[in-house]
Amino acid sequence: MTGRILDGRATAIASYDDIARGVSQFLEEHGRRPLLATVLVGDDPASHTYVSMKANRCADVGILSRRIELGADVTTDDLVAVISRLSRDDEVDGILLQHPVPGHVDERAAFEAIAPGKDVDGVTRTSFARMSFGEDGFSSATPGGIIALLDAHGVEVAGRHAVVVGRSAILGRPVGMMLLARHATVTFCHSRTVDLADHVSRADLVVAAVGRPELIRGEWIKPGAVVVDAGYNPGNIGDVDFEAARERASWITPVPGGVGPMTIATLLRQTLRAAVDHEEQRHQRRTGAALTDAVVG
Ligand code: NAP
């Protein structure tokens, strides 16, 4: 068996077209464009590249972006203050804090300073809880992209055994909870898991989210399983030994061109949604105020 490709690049491009149409309609209705604020801490070249890529894709679909760059020595308090200001700024629809942040910064405190209504990267506790309950809300961008990629290719997860390797707050954990909300039976593996190969070999769906080149061996894959590789390591290498795994998988993501583009598509779609929600709330405030004026006299 040679696994078919879960083509994230093509799926994301189709998604960008759809988002661009939504942005045009939003502009027509509200006379403005959605705005994403990106916060970048320090001078990590990879983080700079990711933020630039996201800003470029924003521009492609007509979303405005505002980039805030802070020095690597920023304190948690100062970072929280910057994000809190963006949370209160009426011009800003979505906020993205590029992670990881330098080790001395309390990343969780910084994430929690993002107003839930602007959490378009899905990193707050509120978003995580909504994801876990399968409720409407912002999904963590990479997990949301993975689910959208599976949906776009008609891959059903209900009733299947999903093994998620990795349990980070922005990737492994939320993707597992989203799969659970879609009725998969989910096993989480991590650095203390004993006999990873045994767990992976029993999976109908494997999600690799570790950051170790080709940790998942091809011979571990159950014939016919679906393989999603979210890992991204230097040299364009994923967490799965792609060539060997493809020989056994029914579907598999390439690296690059699999999960990465879907992450950005999710971020943009959620920014548009935040802007729509934002305008709806404004409208409700205006009609509420008009009603109060009418009643009061
Ligand atoms: P992370 O925070 O470092 O988490 C890595 C996870 O892998 C942890 O849960 C860790 O377990 C687990 N792990 C480490 N060694 C392991 C081993 N030998 N066996 C099993 N599990 C092991 O990383 P992350 O932020 O989730 O990112 C993971 C990968 O995804 C990276 O390659 C990153 O570049 C990529 N990524 C891609 C996108 C995208 O858009 N494509 C977005 C985000 C991340 P413990 O919890 O026990 O430490």
Side-chain angles (χ1 to χ4, degrees):
M1 174 182 293
T2 301
R4 287 190 284 170
I5 296 294
L6 288 162
D7 189 340
R9 193 166 285 140
T11 310
I13 287 170
S15 200
Y16 296 150
D17 291 343
D18 190 43
I19 297 163
R21 277 191 294 276
V23 171
S24 299
Q25 192 185 335
F26 181 85
L27 176 63
E28 226 167 84
E29 285 175 14
H30 304 290
R32 70 174 188 93
R33 294 179 179 280
L35 191 150
L36 173 70
T38 58
V39 181
L40 181 56
V41 183
D43 42 23
D44 174 50
S47 291
H48 277 259
T49 305
Y50 290 140
V51 168
S52 297
M53 273 166 59
K54 288 167 186 172
N56 291 342
R57 292 295 87 72
C58 277
D60 291 345
V61 299
I63 292 177
L64 302 174
S65 49
R66 187 196 292 175
R67 181 164 169 159
I68 292 112
E69 290 190 22
L70 302 167
D73 56 352
V74 74
T75 63
T76 298
D77 284 352
D78 287 346
L79 178 58
V80 165
V82 166
I83 295 172
S84 301
R85 262 199 304 279
L86 293 171
S87 287
R88 290 191 301 270
D89 186 336
D90 226 23
E91 285 181 5
V92 173
D93 295 301
I95 302 170
L96 164 85
L97 170 62
Q98 184 63 40
H99 44 82
V101 294
H104 69 276
V105 173
D106 181 346
E107 186 174 82
R108 179 49 42 201
F111 282 154
E112 295 305 321
I114 299 172
K118 299 188 181 189
D119 183 21
V120 294
D121 201 28
V123 294
T124 59
R125 291 193 182 101
T126 301
S127 295
F128 183 80
R130 288 186 181 148
M131 259 179 285
S132 303
F133 286 113
E135 291 174 2
D136 213 19
F138 296 119
S139 48
S140 188
T142 304
I146 291 171
I147 299 291
L149 186 62
L150 295 174
D151 283 349
H153 291 80
V155 175
E156 181 57 69
V157 301
R160 301 180 87 178
H161 180 204
V163 171
V164 179
V165 189
R167 57 173 169 178
S168 73
I170 55 108
L171 182 45
R173 239 169 251 245
V175 80
M177 297 313 280
M178 290 180 84
L179 291 167
L180 182 63
R182 287 176 165 238
H183 312 296
T185 300
V186 181
T187 299
F188 287 96
C189 298
H190 44 79
S191 65
R192 308 273 188 99
T193 296
V194 176
D195 203 349
L196 181 63
D198 180 57
H199 288 285
V200 171
S201 69
R202 285 186 278 113
D204 301 314
L205 166 65
V206 182
V207 180
V210 179
R212 305 244 161 148
E214 301 185 343
L215 172 74
I216 311 291
R217 311 302 311 161
E219 63 268 23
W220 298 356
I221 304 299
K222 181 164 114 177
V226 176
V227 178
V228 175
D229 189 353
Y232 188 73
N233 305 288
N236 281 343
I237 299 171
D239 286 350
V240 177
D241 177 355
F242 176 83
E243 292 304 337
R246 192 178 181 190
E247 291 310 309
R248 299 167 76 98
S250 56
W251 289 97
I252 187 165
T253 56
V255 176
V259 172
M262 294 303 297
T263 299
I264 301 185
T266 304
L267 176 73
L268 301 189
R269 190 178 290 287
Q270 295 193 147
T271 302
L272 171 60
R273 222 188 79 208
V276 170
D277 291 351
H278 205 161
E279 286 301 330
E280 221 169 81
Q281 285 153 13
R282 274 194 185 138
H283 177 72
Q284 277 166 7
R285 276 201 303 271
R286 276 197 300 268
T287 47
L291 204 66
T292 310
D293 287 351
V295 171
V296 174

